[in-house]
Amino acid sequence: DSGVTQTPKHLITATGQRVTLRCSPRSGDLSVYWYQQSLDQGLQFLIQYYNGEERAKGNILERFSAQQFPDLHSELNLSSLELGDSALYFCASSVATEYEQYFGPGTRLTVT
Amino acid sequence: EDQVTQSPEALRLQEGESSSLNCSYTVSGLRGLFWYRQDPGKGPEFLFTLYSAGEEKEKERLKATLTKKESFLHITAPKPEDSATYLCAVQDFQGGSEKLVFGKGTKLTVNP
């Protein structure tokens, strides 16, 4: 158990819908990262927050957005969902930006 | 752009048959190279961080080494429970982001 929690574990929704994925980092970790893992692309970095502020963006679509709250938990919002958004979404956290990242168990999103 | 290439894509070993996994990387300025283990449907589990050429880290049957262009994960006398996908990732100094760039992984199967 890495100490990073993610909810829900599974999510099945229809095209065009909007969903919110939630992540709670390890106690004391200030940095939160979101990654998407699909069969053909592997693990792809989406976005990073550090102590409530957006720090970096990766291959995140405009339909996707995220935020980190004062209690350091983070949410990833996915809207206007398409079939191709089906994937595993992982959250990771680290105590500071230069240290190893610990991953949560992931949310499996299926868009039908 | 940072690139990480892992080989082989898949590896089958007999229990006790030692081998090595390769991770070749191209980065502007290496901050760290990370090895993770991932079981199907689970989040990546942190194994090692290597920071500079010549560095080695060991944990049970695993040993990670680093040169200026590649890293190796040596598996000595593997057991069936070592079966998993092993992921390599790099983090660089450029761009103000601490994102990890992952390779596509090596799927290891250890037969009893």
Side-chain angles (χ1 to χ4, degrees):
Chain A
D1 183 355
S2 67
V4 179
T5 60
Q6 289 187 248
T7 57
K9 195 174 175 69
H10 301 281
L11 201 48
I12 301 173
T13 190
T15 54
Q17 294 298 304
R18 172 190 168 97
V19 297
T20 298
L21 313 183
R22 183 188 168 102
C23 166
S24 292
R26 295 186 318 158
S27 177
D29 284 1
L30 299 178
S31 205
V32 169
Y33 309 78
W34 285 97
Y35 293 85
Q36 179 192 57
Q37 187 174 41
S38 57
L39 282 173
D40 55 342
Q41 291 293 321
L43 266 166
Q44 298 285 317
F45 168 72
L46 295 178
I47 196 164
Q48 176 194 359
Y49 281 84
Y50 179 77
N51 203 20
E53 305 243 336
E54 182 185 301
R55 187 166 173 94
K57 274 187 174 180
N59 303 320
I60 188 166
L61 300 171
E62 285 191 13
R63 300 182 285 109
F64 296 0
S65 65
Q67 52 185 326
Q68 186 179 28
F69 295 86
D71 67 353
L72 300 178
H73 91 272
S74 178
E75 292 181 357
L76 179 67
N77 301 296
L78 315 176
S79 61
S80 302
L81 285 167
E82 301 175 359
L83 295 177
D85 298 327
S86 296
L88 270 166
Y89 290 84
F90 290 105
C91 166
S93 73
S94 64
V95 62
T97 55
E98 68 271 23
Y99 292 97
E100 56 271 8
Q101 297 174 23
Y102 290 87
F103 283 74
T107 293
R108 181 176 293 280
L109 173 66
T110 303
V111 182
T112 62
Chain B
E1 185 176 314
D2 298 345
Q3 288 192 323
V4 180
T5 303
Q6 291 188 246
S7 61
E9 288 183 17
L11 181 63
R12 282 186 175 274
L13 299 173
Q14 288 300 121
E15 185 171 1
E17 180 187 2
S18 302
S19 188
S20 296
L21 313 183
N22 177 264
C23 171
S24 299
Y25 63 90
T26 305
V27 294
S28 304
L30 183 69
R31 171 173 278 180
L33 185 140
F34 302 81
W35 282 98
Y36 287 84
R37 168 195 170 123
Q38 187 175 26
D39 293 301
K42 303 275 182 75
E45 175 190 341
F46 170 74
L47 294 174
F48 303 109
T49 309
L50 301 166
Y51 292 105
S52 57
E55 190 174 359
E56 299 182 352
K57 294 263 179 85
E58 279 189 73
K59 179 180 177 180
E60 296 181 352
R61 295 177 292 282
L62 301 177
K63 178 178 169 181
T65 62
L66 181 65
T67 71
K68 286 187 178 178
K69 293 185 178 179
E70 57 191 350
S71 177
F72 292 93
L73 185 65
H74 306 279
I75 304 177
T76 303
K79 298 182 177 182
E81 53 262 42
D82 294 322
S83 298
T85 295
Y86 290 86
L87 299 168
C88 169
V90 296
Q91 187 181 59
D92 75 8
F93 285 105
Q94 306 298 319
S97 166
E98 287 72 38
K99 68 177 184 181
L100 294 179
V101 176
F102 281 87
K104 294 201 172 179
T106 293
K107 184 175 180 180
L108 174 67
T109 304
V110 182
N111 297 313

